[in-house]
Amino acid sequence: MQAILLMNLAVFLFTAMDSIIKHVSETYHYPTGELVFVRNLFAFLPLLSYMLLVERRLHLRTARPWGHVWRSLFGVSAMYFFFWSYKLLPLSEAIALGLSGPIFLTVLSVPLLGEKVGWRRWSAVIVGFVGVLIMTRPGSGVFDPAALVPLLASVFYALAMISIRRLADTEPPTTIVFCFTLFATVASLFTLPLGAADPSLMWHWPQFGPEIGLLVAIGIMGGIAQIALTTAFRRASVSVVAPFDYMALVYGFLLGFMLFDELPDEYLIIGGLVVVASGIYIIHRETTLARARRRQATPSLPVSQ
């Protein structure tokens, strides 16, 4: 129960953070690179507090620096395109399309991790892509090319998750999170010169008051959500916790309606539910196969007579 509550807290905070990002992007015209910077810079406040007060140590040494570089590169790319999609699309639509991550993760795990994917998971992948097609409706005359942005973010998200799977064999979760947060903070600074070529990408100082408060809230909410997410997966199995990630669809619909007067159409609702159902089945199937592999790897003990 604690793990489920923590997962829901994480998903709600991430979705609320996304709504603030959409608000400041549209109202104060902050460029995406600057929002990635404040998201990660202020995330250090809850992250370092957790490491020092709860774990009582800063475990930052690693024997796999290049593994962290690749994980962080994919992760910051996913974050950038996700944040950009909130500016281009209605919040509920961007979140619904972004939930296709597990579909791409299953597809990419075959060439990159050498995993064997059976007909059940391939069927779920095909169903998931049908859900994406229902939401985007290519060729219908109403297709928005901006819909490709959250889908591209989902591809980078899947690559980041594959990198985390490789790192998790030897690296503590907080080390992975810290290295990513540091990398993303530094990497976002490279978007500063873009303002010279395009004024819409120009960074600017926030005004004191609600404006700077919202930017700080983005980082703190993201940091707390990351800690809650990590703790949830520590306290319960993936099969119990991971499906609640799809509560983001519910929270996205509610916050989009309350804050931005967005009303999702029937195509977005139906396609989103199809993608959710596909993702939940993929998670269930992967967990079932993982349990079977662990049982086969455990040597049987002789029964005493």
Side-chain angles (χ1 to χ4, degrees):
M1 184 58 67
Q2 286 181 352
I4 291 171
L5 291 174
L6 285 168
M7 186 64 179
N8 274 275
L9 173 64
V11 174
F12 177 78
L13 287 175
F14 276 134
T15 311
M17 179 194 74
D18 297 339
S19 66
I20 296 176
I21 289 170
K22 180 175 179 62
H23 172 68
V24 298
S25 296
E26 296 176 345
T27 305
Y28 303 112
H29 308 292
Y30 281 98
T32 303
E34 187 172 2
L35 293 174
V36 172
F37 175 76
V38 298
R39 152 66 177 91
N40 290 282
L41 178 67
F42 293 112
F44 277 116
L45 295 174
L47 177 59
L48 291 175
S49 299
Y50 177 80
M51 295 175 75
L52 291 173
L53 299 177
V54 178
E55 296 198 338
R56 298 185 181 277
R57 62 184 179 131
L58 289 175
H59 194 284
L60 305 180
R61 298 177 66 180
T62 176
R64 302 172 65 183
W66 283 108
H68 287 283
V69 169
W70 283 110
R71 178 270 180 271
S72 300
L73 185 62
F74 294 138
V76 75
S77 300
M79 183 178 290
Y80 186 93
F81 285 111
F82 274 132
F83 286 9
W84 189 24
S85 71
Y86 304 142
K87 184 177 182 178
L88 300 174
L89 296 168
L91 180 66
S92 54
E93 185 176 344
I95 290 176
L97 289 168
L99 291 174
S100 56
I103 299 171
F104 293 110
L105 179 58
T106 302
V107 174
L108 292 172
S109 67
V110 176
L112 298 181
L113 292 177
E115 291 189 0
K116 294 181 179 179
V117 177
W119 67 270
R120 292 182 180 87
R121 279 190 288 172
W122 279 126
S123 299
V125 166
I126 294 171
V127 170
F129 278 121
V130 170
V132 171
L133 293 175
I134 293 173
M135 287 189 283
T136 56
R137 286 169 282 170
S140 64
V142 295
F143 171 70
D144 188 349
L148 297 176
V149 176
L151 292 177
L152 182 59
S154 296
V155 174
F156 280 115
Y157 167 83
L159 290 169
M161 292 303 103
I162 289 174
S163 301
I164 289 174
R165 284 187 180 182
R166 289 173 169 171
L167 283 171
D169 294 336
T170 59
E171 305 292 294
T174 48
T175 303
I176 297 174
V177 173
F178 182 91
C179 290
F180 166 71
T181 305
L182 180 62
F183 181 96
T185 303
V186 175
S188 59
L189 292 173
F190 286 91
T191 65
L192 264 171
L194 299 179
D198 186 348
S200 66
L201 301 178
M202 181 84 63
W203 287 34
H204 55 272
W205 286 101
Q207 298 290 328
F208 283 98
E211 190 174 334
I212 195 170
L214 290 172
L215 295 180
V216 174
I218 288 172
I220 292 178
M221 292 170 72
I224 294 174
Q226 190 67 59
I227 294 168
L229 184 75
T230 302
T231 307
F233 277 100
R234 282 180 177 177
R235 296 193 177 185
S237 63
V238 173
S239 60
V240 172
V241 175
F244 288 93
D245 191 25
Y246 291 103
M247 285 298 293
L249 192 66
V250 177
Y251 299 140
F253 284 174
L254 291 175
L255 291 175
F257 176 73
M258 291 189 297
L259 301 178
F260 306 104
D261 294 323
E262 299 173 359
L263 194 62
D265 60 19
E266 64 274 17
Y267 293 99
L268 182 61
I269 294 174
I270 295 172
L273 291 176
V274 171
V275 170
V276 167
S278 168
I280 290 176
Y281 181 79
I282 289 172
I283 293 168
H284 163 74
R285 188 63 187 162
E286 287 184 350
T287 306
T288 301
L289 294 174
R291 281 203 205 100
R293 286 194 293 267
R294 284 197 297 270
R295 282 197 299 267
Q296 292 175 357
T298 303
S300 58
L301 298 175
V303 179
S304 58
Q305 300 296 328

